Amino acid sequence: MPRGSTELYTDWNPSQIILSSSETDYLDQLIPLLQNAQTQTQVGPLIHALNHVSADRDAAIERICNNNHQEFVNSVQQLQSVREGTVSLTSEIMELSRSIEASTEKLAEQKKALVDSRGVRQNIDDTTQALKDCLEVLRLANQVHALLGEKNHYAALRALDELQNVHLREVTRYKIAEMIERSVPATQRLIAEAVMTDLNTWLYRIRETSQFLGEVAFYHTDLRRERQKERAEQDPRFTTARLNSSLELVADEVEEFDVLHNDEVQVNFSPLFECLHIHDALGQTDKFRADYAATRRRQKDLLIPQTLNLQDDELNSLSSLLEGIAGFAIIEKATMAKTENFRAQSDVDELWDSMCQSAITLLSNALRTIESDDKLLKIKGIIALFIQTMDGWGYSVTSLDSLLLALFDKYSSLLKKRFSDDFEEVVTSDDYMPMPINNAEEYTKVLSVSWYTPPADEASDPEDLEYPYHLPFSQMYPLVCIDIRNFIQQMYLFSDDHFRHTATIDRMIKEGLDELLREKVIRILLAGLKSQYPGQIVQILTNLDYFEQACSDLEEFLVSVRSSSSAAGPISLHATTSFKEAKTEAERRVFELVNSKIDDLIETAEYDWLSTYVPDQVSLYMQELTRYLANIMSSVLLGLPYEIKHMIYQTALEHIAENLLQLPLDPEVQRISHQAAAAYILDVGHLSGFVGSLDEDDRPETVIPAVEELKQNTDLMGLAAEGRGEEFFDQSITTGRFPMVDKIKGAELLEKVQAKGAGMGGLGGVGGAGLGMGLNSMMGSGGMGDDGHAKKASTTLGDFRSRFGDFGRRT
């Protein structure tokens, strides 16, 4: 039996038909069987089953009938009817089976057609969906290029990423996915190149903006300078606070200013951020960092010119160079602050150092042609503004500080050269005359510019002075003082704004003043001492004295104005000592001229030491000598300070006294008549009277001993002329009348002077006898020779000198 029939028979239970509650249920149970393709082969078993059922029913009926015949008969009849109905039904079933079979075939054909149509429809749906997916991919691919064309690079990269990681995964089985997948790297390169093109454009604009950015930064720094000065004027605590110090930064917080974003300039870093983000998304951050660094290095090289012109008055070339460097460096610092691990600190510092070294080289080469200290000061101002600006951005300015130090060296050299010429012109063109003052305004101005203190007896109010008024020094003194003040002021101008080597300025000022004063004032004044005109020498001496005093005041002034807060202690100028030495040299030169004149006048003294008459008036040379002394005291020495004037006068009188005393003590003078002694005493008395007639202000106490010694020697000569020379050897008389007379010289004078009435041939008379007796009594020998002379006079005088020389020196 076929497997299908066995399964059908096995699965089919006839009781299901018998137990069906209705015909509908029966038919419902038959329909699945009839729809089966094997129904036709199973109709026979169905009939057999129906017959079996029918037999069972007949047996049941028979049992029933046996119990109830009538009812059985009725039942038979009914059964007969049922049987007939069953047969009829069986026919219908057979008919129905055939109809079902025919319908089933038709249905199978329709179902096959339906299945086929559903497959086609599914294919169409799948194709439609595939087309939709592919179109979406194509749309996104086109959108990437559209966004790229709109320069929306990051959106294009996001769309490409979405296309690659989402949409392409849905169409991987299609050829288009492979094609687009192969085009993704090329598209990424297009995006990277496009964003780099925009970045290069941005970098170009930044390079063009750098100079203006630096100019704005310089302007802002200059405003901060002004605000800091105002704060320092109002509050002493800000006096020592420099720009960019903590105190200044805190005080200036209220004036916040963004150099990169303001009304003048706007620096947008979006292109850089976008480029950085895109390269980070592409995994090319390192490459982009290296390319960016190389680009900035090239831009740095383009920023530095080949040469630098410092000849224009406005120094536009220097300003443009430093503004460009400042803007470039500010962009680098801002880039570091706005990005993370993009710009290395070492790279930024390397660029900064390179730019600074290039600028320093250019400046150093260009500075060789600069010969103006004013222009150097302008250059320093621009460099200082640049240093202060970049110091505020955290850059190292050590090399630039060294440049300023070199600049200051050249500045100080030019300044010294200019003032050297000024000093030399002032000193060499001086008239060496006391400076005339025409009004109170001129007097006040001289007092304000020089270190001159008026005498205590001078009117305190300039209006009370009588004009024209003559100051003791010549006009070179205040002019040199003005130059000194200007030199100090202009040297300290270099320390304004920014200069950390303030101690160097203090040192250079001291050295520069020493050099200028010693080389251009003292040297020229010393050269002027060669003049034979005493008035010029005296004026030089006066000027030197006031310069010496000015140097002392100048040392205190330098201490008060020095810029180095760390320096302490006094300042000592070598010029002070040099002026003192030069003053001594000038005094010596005055002494030489005065003494030379005195010597000339004394040399005209023509004493006839053996004269036989007494003159009735003072010698001409003595009159001329006292007249000369009066003239130099009232005119030549008038302007000298009190101490110097009196020292010169004292020295002159000592020189006169010494020379006058040497006249009778000259070894060639053997004898002096009492008439010649009287003439000599008359002249010395005239000199003593002249000194005594001087005002107390013009007659220093120290001149009295010099004249007094000479007067006592002449008194001794007068005593000898009277024949009383032996009184000199009386200790009690000598101590009272001749305390200043040297014993040796006194003895020589006594030996030479003849007493009145003595003959010309010998000592004779009272004076000669007295001297002889005195010497004989003191030396233990004496007597007269045949020629009328003391036969042992020379021996006796020598013994006297030997025995009493030491006493005379002590006296």
Side-chain angles (χ1 to χ4, degrees):
M1 178 182 292
R3 182 182 176 186
S5 299
T6 303
E7 291 177 353
L8 178 61
Y9 183 75
T10 303
D11 295 335
W12 180 70
N13 189 357
S15 63
Q16 294 178 351
I17 299 177
I18 297 172
L19 296 177
S20 297
S21 60
S22 64
E23 294 181 355
T24 304
D25 292 339
Y26 174 74
L27 292 174
D28 290 339
Q29 294 175 9
L30 289 177
I31 288 173
L33 297 175
L34 294 175
Q35 288 178 346
N36 195 313
Q38 299 176 354
T39 302
Q40 295 179 0
T41 61
Q42 295 177 352
V43 172
L46 178 60
I47 294 175
H48 176 73
L50 290 176
N51 289 335
H52 181 70
V53 171
S54 177
D56 289 341
R57 290 291 178 91
D58 287 343
I61 291 171
E62 186 175 356
R63 285 192 304 271
I64 292 171
C65 288
N66 290 334
N67 293 330
N68 193 346
H69 182 269
Q70 187 61 40
E71 291 179 358
F72 181 74
V73 171
N74 292 335
S75 298
V76 169
Q77 290 178 350
Q78 290 179 357
L79 182 59
Q80 187 66 36
S81 297
V82 171
R83 184 177 179 81
E84 292 177 356
T86 300
V87 172
S88 177
L89 183 59
T90 299
S91 300
E92 291 179 0
I93 288 173
M94 293 299 293
E95 186 66 27
L96 180 59
S97 177
R98 287 191 295 272
S99 174
I100 289 173
E101 183 178 1
S103 298
T104 300
E105 293 176 355
K106 184 177 180 180
L107 183 60
E109 292 176 358
Q110 291 178 352
K111 183 178 181 181
K112 181 179 179 183
L114 180 61
V115 170
D116 292 340
S117 63
R118 285 181 176 176
V120 173
R121 182 177 178 180
Q122 184 64 39
N123 290 337
I124 293 174
D125 291 341
D126 293 343
T127 302
T128 301
Q129 185 63 38
L131 288 174
K132 289 181 178 180
D133 293 341
C134 293
L135 288 174
E136 180 66 17
V137 170
L138 289 173
R139 184 188 68 80
L140 287 175
N142 291 332
Q143 184 182 9
V144 169
H145 289 278
L147 292 172
L148 191 59
E150 296 172 0
K151 296 187 179 300
N152 196 349
H153 306 114
Y154 182 67
L157 186 63
R158 289 291 301 272
L160 183 63
D161 183 67
E162 181 181 357
L163 173 64
Q164 183 180 16
N165 297 320
V166 179
H167 297 281
L168 282 182
R169 294 181 183 276
E170 298 176 357
V171 294
T172 53
R173 61 186 180 275
Y174 305 121
K175 189 72 173 178
I176 191 173
E178 183 181 351
M179 296 174 60
I180 293 179
E181 184 71 28
R182 288 198 305 266
S183 68
V184 166
T187 306
Q188 289 177 339
R189 285 194 298 272
L190 286 176
I191 295 175
E193 291 173 358
V195 77
M196 282 301 295
T197 300
D198 287 352
L199 180 66
N200 289 333
T201 302
W202 178 77
L203 287 173
Y204 175 78
R205 292 175 180 172
I206 286 296
R207 184 168 67 86
E208 295 295 320
T209 310
S210 293
Q211 181 180 343
F212 184 62
L213 177 63
E215 183 180 351
V216 172
F218 283 9
Y219 177 73
H220 172 60
T221 303
D222 193 49
L223 292 180
R224 287 175 56 199
R225 281 180 178 176
E226 297 299 327
R227 291 195 294 267
Q228 178 62 16
K229 289 181 181 178
E230 294 176 359
R231 283 191 290 266
E233 293 173 356
Q234 299 172 1
D235 191 343
R237 293 176 299 176
F238 290 95
T239 304
T240 58
R242 293 183 174 272
L243 210 66
N244 298 317
S245 64
S246 301
L247 187 60
E248 187 272 335
L249 292 175
V250 171
D252 206 62
E253 283 182 348
V254 294
E255 302 290 343
E256 290 187 3
F257 180 80
D258 191 349
V259 177
L260 298 171
H261 298 281
N262 51 73
D263 296 337
E264 301 294 334
V265 62
Q266 294 285 335
V267 179
N268 183 14
F269 285 87
S270 298
L272 175 61
F273 298 152
E274 183 181 25
C275 193
L276 180 61
H277 191 69
I278 287 176
H279 281 82
D280 182 60
L282 294 174
Q284 300 177 0
T285 304
D286 292 340
K287 179 179 179 300
F288 173 60
R289 185 185 295 112
D291 292 343
Y292 183 87
T295 301
R296 292 298 281 171
R297 282 194 294 271
R298 288 193 297 272
Q299 287 189 330
K300 180 266 298 181
D301 295 335
L302 294 175
L303 187 66
I304 307 299
Q306 296 296 323
T307 57
L308 185 64
N309 180 22
L310 297 180
Q311 297 302 324
D312 59 315
D313 295 336
E314 299 300 326
L315 298 173
N316 294 323
S317 298
L318 177 61
S319 297
S320 300
L321 172 63
L322 297 184
E323 287 168 359
I325 293 176
F328 186 95
I330 290 173
I331 293 294
E332 286 298 300
K333 279 290 184 180
T335 303
M336 286 185 60
K338 294 177 181 294
T339 58
E340 184 177 356
N341 298 326
F342 175 60
R343 294 293 286 151
Q345 182 69 48
S346 58
D347 290 343
V348 176
D349 291 340
E350 181 183 355
L351 289 176
W352 168 253
D353 292 339
S354 176
M355 290 188 294
C356 288
Q357 291 302 322
S358 298
I360 290 172
T361 302
L362 288 173
L363 269 169
S364 301
N365 293 333
L367 285 175
R368 298 171 183 171
T369 61
I370 302 300
E371 297 296 334
S372 169
D373 54 276
D374 290 335
K375 180 164 289 187
L376 283 178
L377 203 59
K378 292 181 181 179
I379 294 172
K380 182 263 173 183
I382 297 175
I383 297 176
L385 186 62
F386 172 66
I387 291 176
Q388 289 177 323
T389 301
M390 303 318 298
D391 188 36
W393 282 89
Y395 281 103
S396 172
V397 293
T398 304
S399 59
L400 296 172
D401 282 336
S402 300
L403 172 64
L404 285 184
L405 188 58
L407 193 66
F408 175 70
D409 288 339
K410 184 175 180 64
Y411 174 77
S412 61
S413 298
L414 292 178
L415 207 61
K416 284 192 291 186
K417 182 178 183 302
R418 178 162 67 86
F419 277 93
S420 176
D421 296 339
D422 291 344
F423 274 52
E424 186 170 0
E425 181 181 359
V426 167
V427 177
T428 54
S429 62
D430 190 55
D431 56 3
Y432 295 103
M433 297 291 290
M435 182 177 181
I437 301 296
N438 298 318
N439 50 57
E441 182 180 358
E442 290 183 7
Y443 183 81
T444 303
K445 185 176 181 180
V446 170
L447 292 183
S448 64
V449 300
S450 63
W451 287 276
Y452 169 66
T453 302
D457 58 348
E458 188 174 293
S460 59
D461 188 357
E463 299 292 343
D464 296 338
L465 297 175
E466 295 182 3
Y467 298 98
Y469 180 79
H470 287 80
L471 294 172
F473 43 78
S474 62
Q475 63 181 1
M476 65 167 287
Y477 173 73
L479 292 178
V480 170
C481 290
I482 291 175
D483 278 345
I484 290 174
R485 292 181 183 274
N486 289 338
F487 177 77
I488 296 173
Q489 180 184 9
Q490 293 193 33
M491 287 287 278
Y492 277 125
L493 282 177
F494 204 91
S495 65
D496 288 350
D497 304 327
H498 176 87
F499 189 70
R500 296 177 179 176
H501 307 279
T502 52
T504 302
I505 293 183
D506 297 334
R507 177 177 58 82
M508 294 296 289
I509 287 177
K510 176 184 176 300
E511 294 176 357
L513 287 176
D514 268 332
E515 181 180 347
L516 290 172
L517 291 174
R518 297 170 74 179
E519 294 297 325
K520 297 302 178 180
V521 177
I522 297 176
R523 183 179 60 81
I524 296 177
L525 289 179
L526 288 178
L529 294 178
K530 297 178 181 179
S531 171
Q532 298 298 321
Y533 177 56
Q536 178 176 338
I537 306 301
V538 170
Q539 189 61 60
I540 290 176
L541 178 58
T542 303
N543 290 346
L544 288 172
D545 182 67
Y546 280 100
F547 274 123
E548 181 187 0
Q549 299 176 23
C551 281
S552 299
D553 296 334
L554 179 59
E555 290 172 347
E556 298 179 1
F557 177 74
L558 291 177
V559 171
S560 65
V561 300
R562 60 184 169 193
S563 57
S564 177
S565 58
S566 61
I571 293 177
S572 179
L573 291 173
H574 297 297
T576 306
T577 304
S578 298
F579 274 116
K580 183 178 297 185
E581 295 172 353
K583 189 174 69 171
T584 302
E585 182 68 19
E587 292 172 356
R588 187 188 63 79
R589 179 58 178 161
V590 172
F591 299 154
E592 285 181 359
L593 289 179
V594 173
N595 293 342
S596 175
K597 181 64 175 178
I598 291 172
D599 292 341
D600 292 342
L601 291 173
I602 292 178
E603 284 179 0
T604 62
E606 297 180 352
Y607 285 106
D608 182 4
W609 297 108
L610 299 179
S611 174
T612 59
Y613 72 96
V614 177
D616 56 357
Q617 62 180 359
V618 178
S619 302
L620 291 177
Y621 90 92
M622 182 57 68
Q623 296 179 19
E624 186 69 24
L625 181 61
T626 53
R627 188 181 302 111
Y628 172 73
L629 291 176
N631 288 337
I632 64 171
M633 179 63 71
S634 60
S635 60
V636 177
L637 304 181
L638 182 63
L640 286 175
Y642 178 85
E643 294 80 3
I644 298 177
K645 178 173 63 177
H646 284 186
M647 183 174 61
I648 293 175
Y649 211 54
Q650 173 191 346
T651 304
L653 290 175
E654 289 178 349
H655 185 70
I656 291 173
E658 182 180 356
N659 285 354
L660 285 178
L661 186 57
Q662 290 299 321
L663 292 178
L665 292 175
D666 192 327
E668 295 182 359
V669 178
Q670 298 294 326
R671 299 288 181 266
I672 299 176
S673 66
H674 69 88
Q675 296 89 347
Y680 179 75
I681 293 171
L682 179 64
D683 291 341
V684 172
H686 178 77
L687 175 64
S688 179
F690 167 76
V691 174
S693 66
L694 293 175
D695 295 337
E696 292 184 0
D697 293 339
D698 294 335
R699 185 185 63 209
E701 295 180 358
T702 54
V703 305
I704 301 300
V707 179
E708 185 64 23
E709 180 183 1
L710 178 62
K711 186 174 183 302
Q712 290 182 17
N713 278 278
T714 56
D715 288 345
L716 179 60
M717 293 175 66
L719 190 65
E722 294 176 359
R724 300 164 53 193
E726 69 277 1
E727 295 181 7
F728 177 68
F729 302 102
D730 187 341
Q731 188 67 29
S732 60
I733 297 176
T734 301
T735 303
R737 292 187 60 182
F738 310 108
M740 302 181 69
V741 176
D742 181 84
K743 300 304 179 181
I744 302 297
K745 294 178 180 178
E748 290 183 4
L749 290 175
L750 290 176
E751 182 182 7
K752 292 181 179 182
V753 176
Q754 290 180 331
K756 294 179 180 179
M760 295 300 294
L763 289 173
V766 177
L771 177 59
M773 292 173 64
L775 290 175
N776 291 332
S777 63
M778 293 176 66
M779 304 301 173
S781 60
M784 300 296 292
D786 296 336
D787 57 356
H789 290 209
K791 61 179 181 180
K792 292 186 179 180
S794 59
T795 303
T796 303
L797 183 60
D799 295 339
F800 178 82
R801 287 174 177 168
S802 174
R803 294 177 62 185
F804 291 94
D806 185 61
F807 172 76
R809 285 192 296 272
R810 287 198 301 270
T811 304

